[in-house]
Amino acid sequence: INAVRNFLFQRNSLATYGETATDDLFRVENLLGQSVLENLEKAMNYNLEALDGKSGLLTIKDPRNDGTADGVSSNYWDAYDFMGYQSAYENVLFYNSLKSMADIYRWLGDAEKVSYYESLRVTAKERFNQTFWDAEKGRYISSIDINGKKNDFGITFISFLACEAGLADADQARQIYDWIDGKRTIAGDTSTGSDIYAFGYAARSNTVDMKAAPDLFWTHGGQLDPSGGGRYGNNIQNGGAIFYTTYYDIMGRLKTLGADNAYDRFLDIVEEFK
């Protein structure tokens, strides 16, 4: 849904290199004769109905993604078995998709649907913060499993995503970046202070060693055991870093703390690649 929205506002063109003809994006059909617009509606309807998104909070019902040690991750971060059921990661994407649908229907001139998605987006923001914000730690938790257990391993990119999406208010963003920038520490964290940016180009993915909860970490048959080959700092998903999260880091700073703060972080990255 977000990709279609971005493509639409990029240019609404399906022309390949060297061609000049363009088509209406929403009339393009797949092999089953379903248009892009039909598939957008089906995808969103699944979010709203099957995953309870109409309540403002997405809940993943697939029993394989229950957020427990018996489950598996529901997203890109496949080593984190706790990423499931009520997952902050998916709920950020859901929140963004509501804006995307509102933008698409504004383009199509459907004021009623624009109003629906914008209204639900307000509810989703409230539910997200009620569910995932940890006021004591001053950061977002990762998930709540099917048994109601809250999981928090200091996943930095979840807080970045939330700030970039506009889910965090100014006070929340300040607390988040004070933690990330080492201005304050959180009890139980393995990585604190300047060590959170030990790799320079990006923050560590998590600040709590997964050795603290090995049953919630997929070890790829033992090869990525957090006490062995997947030890803290040796694995992207356990104390390591990946560059793409830096986009959300910088954009989160830009949207919540201002251009000067974002630029300072950008200069640190430039220094890393000199």
Side-chain angles (χ1 to χ4, degrees), residues 25-36:
L25 172 64
F26 297 113
R27 289 188 291 108
V28 175
E29 297 182 348
N30 62 17
L31 294 177
L32 298 178
Q34 300 165 325
S35 71
V36 168

Side-chain angles (χ1 to χ4, degrees), residues 199-202 243 246 266-274:
F199 292 93
Y201 59 87
F243 196 25
T246 293
F266 180 74
L267 290 179
D268 288 341
I269 297 165
V270 170
E271 189 67 28
E272 179 69 19
F273 285 98
K274 277 186 177 179

Side-chain angles (χ1 to χ4, degrees), residues 7 11-17 19 21-28 36:
F7 185 87
R11 163 163 109 110
N12 189 24
S13 171
L14 297 177
T16 58
Y17 182 76
E19 296 179 345
T22 61
D23 295 297
D24 179 358
L25 172 64
F26 297 113
R27 289 188 291 108
V28 175
V36 168

